[in-house]
């Protein structure tokens, strides 16, 4: 996605009801959790609109949609709101027709959940690296921790002997973890993938996926966002926050 996008902040009026037959995603352009939901909406071909929320200056009404005040959240035409990215993505897969992204087989489904559970450690390690870089600290330790986690993640692929985490084609788990890989180049971490060749092959395959292609943000745009975020001086108009 390129170009500036409007985002609603404090004082912005709440959008009206969601049109029948459509879904509204409350999002933020650079949020990896929201990207999970965008990937699933696109992969399944669900008709939707995206409303970006200014997370530094949230409108009061947003807490009525999601009391946690987090994106992503999806609102339906009957006013129901679902939030927390794994729950949003499972809901969309179950409630809407189109390609099923989650395996029906309970064992395969459980295995995807195991990988997702493990992956929360990768997101934590990534966040620690983000904070170290934000504070301009030496991040060698944080990078090493992330590499260890990525090597463990790669073992799932090696053990399964499959190209994707859920088998020979893209499925829910791949979409759940992909957004963080898009963010690794910010911290030179993409080079780490040379040490995890199977993970690198998976990442290169993901870059060919049509939903991924539609949601991808260029590294220089992400870097611009990161720098402004680090300085706490984000330009809401440019960065859709
Ligand atoms: N557990 C949540 C995490 C979502 C999350 O942390 N979103 C961030 C943006 S990337 C957010 O909304 N931050 C606003 C805030 O912390 O106030 C999920 O999986 O959906």
């Amino acid at each position: 996605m390129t170009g500036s996008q409007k985002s609603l902040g404090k004082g912005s009026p709440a959008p009206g009801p969601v049109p029948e037959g459509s879904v509204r995603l409350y999002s933020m352009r650079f949020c990896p959790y929201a990207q999970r939901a965008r990937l699933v909406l696109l992969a399944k071909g669900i008709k939707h609109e995206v409303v970006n929320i200014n997370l530094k200056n949230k409108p009061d009404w947003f807490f009525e949609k999601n009391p946690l005040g987090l994106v992503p959240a999806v609102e339906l035409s009957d006013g129901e709101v679902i939030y927390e990215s794994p729950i949003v993505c499972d809901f969309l897969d179950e409630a809407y027709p189109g390609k099923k992204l989650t395996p029906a087989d309970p064992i395969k489904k459980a295995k995807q959940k195991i990988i997702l559970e493990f992956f929360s450690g990768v997101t934590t390690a990534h966040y620690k690296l983000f904070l170290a870089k934000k504070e301009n600290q030496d991040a060698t330790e944080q990078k090493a921790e992330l590499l260890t986690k990525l090597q463990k993640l790669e073992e799932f692929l090696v053990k399964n002997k499959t190209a994707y985490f859920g088998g020979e084609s893209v499925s829910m788990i791949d979409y759940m973890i992909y957004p963080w890989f898009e963010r690794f180049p910010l911290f030179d971490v993409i080079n780490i993938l040379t040490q995890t060749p199977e993970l690198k092959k998976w990442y290169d395959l993901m870059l060919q996926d049509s939903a991924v292609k539609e949601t991808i943000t260029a590294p220089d745009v992400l870097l611009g966002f990161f720098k402004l975020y680090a300085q706490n001086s984000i330009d809401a108009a440019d960065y859709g926050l």
Side-chain angles (χ1 to χ4, degrees):
M1 230 188 276
T2 52
S4 72
Q5 296 174 43
K6 254 213 245 158
S7 69
L8 304 186
K10 217 169 179 70
S12 307
V18 178
E20 197 69 45
S22 188
V23 169
R24 176 180 296 141
L25 174 71
Y26 295 103
S27 186
M28 189 279 262
R29 246 183 106 185
F30 302 103
C31 171
Y33 299 96
Q35 193 177 0
R36 285 175 164 173
R38 281 158 55 212
L39 287 167
V40 170
L41 285 163
L42 290 165
K44 291 187 68 76
I46 300 171
K47 192 172 170 208
H48 66 281
E49 60 185 40
V50 177
V51 169
N52 287 311
I53 298 295
N54 180 343
L55 296 176
K56 293 265 173 191
N57 196 15
K58 297 171 199 164
D60 294 337
W61 53 258
F62 184 58
F63 291 91
E64 284 162 35
K65 309 286 183 192
N66 177 358
L68 306 179
L70 301 174
V71 297
V74 288
E75 184 171 4
L76 314 180
S77 53
D78 62 3
E80 286 285 0
V81 181
I82 314 284
Y83 45 90
E84 286 299 311
S85 61
I87 297 168
V88 167
C89 293
D90 282 347
F91 166 76
L92 293 172
D93 200 27
E94 277 173 28
Y96 289 85
K99 181 181 173 188
K100 280 287 166 222
L101 298 173
T102 310
D105 175 51
I107 303 257
K108 287 190 178 149
K109 197 168 164 174
K111 292 209 160 166
Q112 295 216 353
K113 300 252 182 241
I114 290 169
I115 299 172
L116 185 60
E117 191 61 34
F118 173 78
F119 192 74
S120 65
V122 175
T123 67
T124 307
H126 181 246
Y127 191 60
K128 282 194 206 160
L129 178 59
F130 175 93
L131 290 181
K133 288 278 180 180
K134 182 171 180 279
E135 300 305 324
N136 269 327
Q137 291 163 1
D138 173 53
T140 315
E141 213 176 284
Q142 288 82 354
K143 257 192 199 176
E145 187 185 336
L146 183 59
L147 175 60
T148 308
K149 293 262 191 288
L150 290 175
Q151 283 166 332
K152 274 254 171 259
L153 181 69
E154 186 178 47
E155 282 174 27
F156 288 103
L157 277 181
V158 174
K159 202 166 162 233
N160 288 354
K161 296 194 179 69
T162 54
Y164 295 88
F165 280 91
E168 289 306 338
S169 58
V170 70
S171 67
M172 185 63 93
I173 185 62
D174 302 298
Y175 288 136
M176 297 300 283
I177 70 177
Y178 165 77
W180 280 265
F181 287 77
E182 197 171 302
R183 285 147 184 82
F184 289 159
L186 294 186
F187 314 114
D188 320 316
V189 174
I190 208 69
N191 297 332
I192 283 184
L193 294 190
T194 56
Q195 296 178 55
T196 54
E198 295 309 311
L199 213 45
K200 173 80 170 75
K201 276 190 226 160
W202 167 84
Y203 176 64
D204 289 340
L205 277 176
M206 289 304 286
L207 292 177
Q208 303 307 314
D209 181 84
S210 59
V212 165
K213 281 185 181 167
E214 275 194 69
T215 66
I216 211 159
T217 303
D220 58 323
V221 177
L222 279 173
L223 192 61
F225 160 70
F226 172 72
K227 282 187 178 154
L228 289 172
Y229 185 93
Q231 294 160 8
N232 231 352
S233 62
I234 289 164
D235 182 328
D238 281 348
Y239 282 89
L241 292 168

